[in-house]
Amino acid sequence: MAKYRSDRINEELKREISDILQNDIKDPGLGFVSVVLVEVSGDLRQAKVYYSVMGNHDDIQSTKDALKRSAGFIRREIANRLALRYTPELVFIYDDSIEHGIRIAQIINKENAKQGNHHEEE
């Protein structure tokens, strides 16, 4: 499969899954979730959906459970919305890269503040 086609399908799946999560799922366990990336396999049979959640560990766990419960519904909605030969099996994977980036930024800001204070004393 051409890379262009796979990229297009990844983006289309990401857009549709985000829309379904935001507008169609009424599960109270679903927190503030955002789809970060979707990677479809070469044969279009499986899609890894990387997601991020704003909140604490309990929010992350309840969202993970809600996504597991909703996977069949989301897949069915994808089948209705997109004209694909096969509707991929969805595998949801928690992505903490945004949190990791925030932690790194905080450390850098702290160090910059220390450096600023150190230069002022000289």
Side-chain angles (χ1 to χ4, degrees):
M1 179 171 53
K3 175 142 177 59
Y4 172 74
R5 181 167 183 244
S6 119
D7 289 345
R8 222 176 54 223
I9 291 171
N10 289 339
E11 283 303 311
E12 200 61 28
L13 282 170
K14 178 181 173 186
R15 187 175 60 77
E16 291 299 335
I17 292 170
S18 295
D19 183 60
I20 292 166
L21 289 173
Q22 188 174 30
N23 299 318
D24 297 334
I25 296 188
K26 305 299 183 212
D27 192 319
L30 192 65
F32 185 73
V33 62
S34 60
V35 178
V36 177
L37 175 72
V38 175
E39 290 180 340
V40 69
S41 64
D43 62 358
L44 301 178
R45 299 285 182 150
Q46 186 180 52
K48 293 179 183 175
V49 180
Y50 295 90
Y51 67 94
S52 181
V53 179
M54 296 291 283
N56 60 25
H57 180 71
D58 292 337
D59 295 333
I60 294 167
Q61 188 59 45
S62 69
T63 298
K64 181 180 180 180
D65 295 339
L67 288 172
K68 190 179 281 189
R69 286 189 301 269
S70 304
F73 173 78
I74 296 169
R75 187 174 186 212
R76 222 172 13 260
E77 283 295 308
I78 294 294
N80 291 336
R81 294 177 182 207
L82 300 179
L84 298 172
R85 178 175 292 167
Y86 303 109
T87 303
E89 189 72 34
L90 303 175
V91 178
F92 289 96
I93 301 169
Y94 177 68
D95 181 16
D96 68 346
S97 62
I98 294 173
E99 293 171 10
H100 186 68
I102 291 170
R103 282 194 302 270
I104 290 173
Q106 288 172 341
I107 291 169
I108 290 171
N109 289 339
K110 238 185 243 182
E111 288 300 315
N112 285 340
K114 285 181 187 176
Q115 292 297 324
N117 290 339
H118 181 66
H119 289 295
E120 289 174 5
E121 293 172 359
E122 292 177 358

